Every structure is written in structure tokens, then in C-alpha cells.
Amino acid sequence: MKTSTLPAVRVEPELRAALEAVLGEEETISAFVADAVRRAVDFRRVQGDFHARGEAAWLEYLRTGVSHPVDEVFDRVQARIDARRRELESRIGR
């Protein structure tokens, strides 16, 4: 797969100095920027999916009028968190 170039970005000298100060030993500015862009794209995708699920849930509520008490929702979320935590702890042998 061919790569392409992102446009050059002009920044204040202070920002560039701050960036250079936090780079890893073998890390380049280009690698840092590519990683930052990749993470921002992933975040925006997750954020968009979150909003789409929220909109779908809202439309489903408007269609059916069925809702769930906040305590019930929080309990289900907490149960999922607890189950995932147990799964991860069993993998590392705690």
C-alpha cells in the first residue's frame, strides 16, 4: 500500500520545543504526529458510534415509550465492568 503525506502544519516554536522534549529516544516528530492523528481518528470514530447509538436509543424510546430506570442501567453497566475486571484479573493470575 502506498503512503501519502499529510499537509505541513505550522506551530509556534514553543509547541515544537514542547513536542521535541517529550519524544521518545528513537521517536521522530513524523511518527509522533502520525500516531496522534491515528488516535484522533479512532476517537472520532468511537465518538460518532456513541452518538449514533444514543440517537437510535432516543428514536426507539420515542417510537415505543419504553424506558429503563437509571439505577437499572447503572447496575447493568457495573455488572459488565465487574465481569470484565474478573476476566482480566484471571488472565494475569491474581
Side-chain angles (χ1 to χ4, degrees):
M1 176 170 83
K2 290 179 89 173
T3 60
S4 59
T5 307
L6 293 174
V9 179
R10 298 189 79 56
V11 297
E12 299 81 18
E14 296 82 12
L15 180 56
R16 182 177 175 123
L19 168 57
E20 290 172 342
V22 299
L23 288 177
E25 198 170 303
E26 297 294 320
E27 191 175 24
T28 64
I29 291 176
S30 293
F32 182 92
V33 170
D35 184 55
V37 169
R38 198 173 292 108
R39 289 173 186 246
V41 168
D42 288 345
F43 176 80
R44 295 279 179 98
R45 187 174 294 125
V46 168
Q47 190 179 42
D49 292 346
F50 175 81
H51 286 287
R53 287 192 311 274
E55 182 67 18
W58 175 246
L59 292 174
E60 180 68 9
Y61 168 72
L62 292 176
R63 187 180 70 76
T64 65
V66 175
S67 65
H68 303 278
V70 69
D71 290 341
E72 178 184 313
V73 174
F74 282 161
D75 289 346
R76 281 194 300 167
V77 170
Q78 189 63 54
R80 289 177 65 187
I81 291 169
D82 294 343
R84 181 68 172 148
R85 184 173 286 132
R86 284 190 301 275
E87 176 187 334
L88 293 173
E89 286 173 351
S90 70
R91 284 187 189 176
I92 60 174
R94 280 192 176 181

